[in-house]
Amino acid sequence: MIPLGVSLGIKDLVRGQSGLMTQVIAIAALLAPLLILYSLRYGVVSTLTDDLVSNPENRRIQTLRQGVYDQSFMDSLGTDPRVDYLIPMATPIARSMDFSPDTGSTSTVVRGTILAAVSGDPLLPGGIPPPARGQIVLTPSMAQDLGVSIGGDAALWLGRTLEGRDETLVVPFTVIGLTDPAAWSSKGGLVDPDSNWRMEMWQEGYAAPTLGGRTGKPLPATREYRNFRLYAKDLPAIEGLLSRLLADGVEARAPRLADYQAILALNRVLGTVFLLLASTMTLGFLLSFGAAQWEAVARKRHAISILRLHGLGRFQSASMALTQAGAIALLGGALATGAYYAVAQMLNSVLTPIFKLGGDVSRLEPLHIAIAVGATLAAALLAASLAAGRIARIEPGEGIRNA
């Protein structure tokens, strides 16, 4: 059952349709521009951020010079919650090697980069396990140049000069998958860390008997690394990791950090503009809507006193003003939402191709709409609270004295 005060408030609104529509349009005229402005801020910033996050290379941190890192350093860095992926490298830079489709001929040789990979590697597509010994994951461009496919064979041809002799080591692999070209577009492949370390050590003059390279110095008992491949958990974690590495004496850089900082600066500027406009328009709304409700009470004072004379309680009479304010706010919010969606479609069709972003320039989530309408409702109820208090103070006797 609808409370009496609520019912009377709604019926009074329906009778005064022209006044109702005027107030609804006024609220929509205030709220719609705020929705559109915030949608531009959210759409542009989130799209730019998503474009950066979508490519794991944008979260990669690179060292500026080679160092010597033991396993304890790698273990400590790997436990940092800001680290998404870390794998050590035996050489200062990723080594280029000769790839071929088989072990018996070099008629087709393609030069490419070889990297080690374990579970969680950003370069590994979902559903592809990390390579084990004797397995390799190729980039699509490498697989195309070699003419091999998943399940086929590939080989790495390594060369070195040891004591004046030229030596060649051929390491066979089975292709178990292909990387995502968006994450790694150049030619190369991923192998297991142990094979990668042994191949690089073989090229440095050590023996690698498990790979067929039996000549050379014995492999060192403990492994030391000259570099590492490091990815931050997300873009905000990059600066903290750079600071940590610098404190550990490791100079490093993140090539796309400046782009992310530029997005944050843009977000701050747009946020400041939005906050100023929203504050000004909210204050104007509170004053104008509150004044309108106050004036409505003055016009209806005699009618309300008659209702009070017929038994309408103070709370029920006050709920009339609050009901009307809430209904006007909700209708205004609905109209503003409709106006936003209409304008957003136009902005996206016109501006998205111009700016060449990976998503819409004007975008809001359902939660944003709900918060905006809820804030409008709360502001309307706040503005109408003084009018509701004034109504509650109307005495039943005023209807008789003014008859």
Side-chain angles (χ1 to χ4, degrees), residues 211-371:
L211 301 179
R214 304 190 181 281
T215 60
K217 299 176 292 183
L219 288 170
T222 59
R223 298 187 181 187
E224 289 185 340
Y225 305 100
R226 298 293 183 267
N227 205 342
F228 47 84
R229 190 156 55 94
L230 172 64
Y231 294 85
K233 181 77 69 176
D234 49 33
L235 294 174
I238 292 177
E239 289 190 77
L241 281 176
L242 287 175
S243 299
R244 180 208 165 128
L245 289 172
L246 184 60
D248 291 339
V250 180
E251 294 186 44
R253 71 185 184 98
R256 300 304 299 273
L257 179 59
D259 295 337
Y260 177 60
Q261 290 173 333
I263 293 174
L264 292 181
L266 174 63
N267 187 43
R268 285 193 295 269
V269 171
L270 293 177
T272 301
V273 172
F274 176 80
L275 182 60
L276 290 174
L277 287 177
S279 300
T280 303
M281 297 175 75
T282 300
L283 179 60
F285 168 73
L286 289 173
L287 294 176
S288 62
F289 192 76
Q293 295 298 304
W294 187 271
E295 191 273 336
V297 173
R299 286 187 290 104
K300 301 171 185 177
R301 189 178 189 91
H302 176 70
I304 294 172
S305 66
I306 296 297
L307 292 173
R308 293 278 287 116
L309 186 63
H310 283 79
L312 186 67
R314 292 183 183 275
F315 176 77
Q316 291 176 324
S317 59
S319 65
M320 291 174 57
L322 297 176
T323 298
Q324 292 183 349
I328 293 171
L330 292 176
L331 290 173
L335 182 60
T337 301
Y340 152 70
Y341 279 116
V343 174
Q345 288 186 349
M346 180 187 67
L347 290 175
N348 289 329
S349 62
V350 174
L351 297 181
T352 300
I354 295 176
F355 291 107
K356 297 180 180 179
L357 297 177
D360 294 335
V361 297
S362 177
R363 185 176 70 182
L364 287 180
E365 304 295 341
L367 178 62
H368 297 147
I369 301 293
I371 291 175

Side-chain angles (χ1 to χ4, degrees), residues 121-188:
D121 195 313
L123 300 180
L124 277 175
I128 297 181
R133 177 174 292 184
Q135 297 178 335
I136 191 169
V137 178
L138 296 177
T139 63
S141 59
M142 176 61 77
Q144 181 178 4
D145 288 354
L146 293 178
V148 300
S149 58
I150 297 176
D153 295 328
L156 289 173
W157 292 68
L158 288 67
R160 72 180 181 183
T161 300
L162 183 66
E163 298 178 352
R165 302 188 311 272
D166 292 334
E167 296 184 347
T168 300
L169 178 65
V170 183
V171 185
F173 291 95
T174 299
V175 180
I176 64 167
L178 302 178
T179 65
D180 183 354
W184 189 8
S185 60
S186 58
K187 295 177 176 63

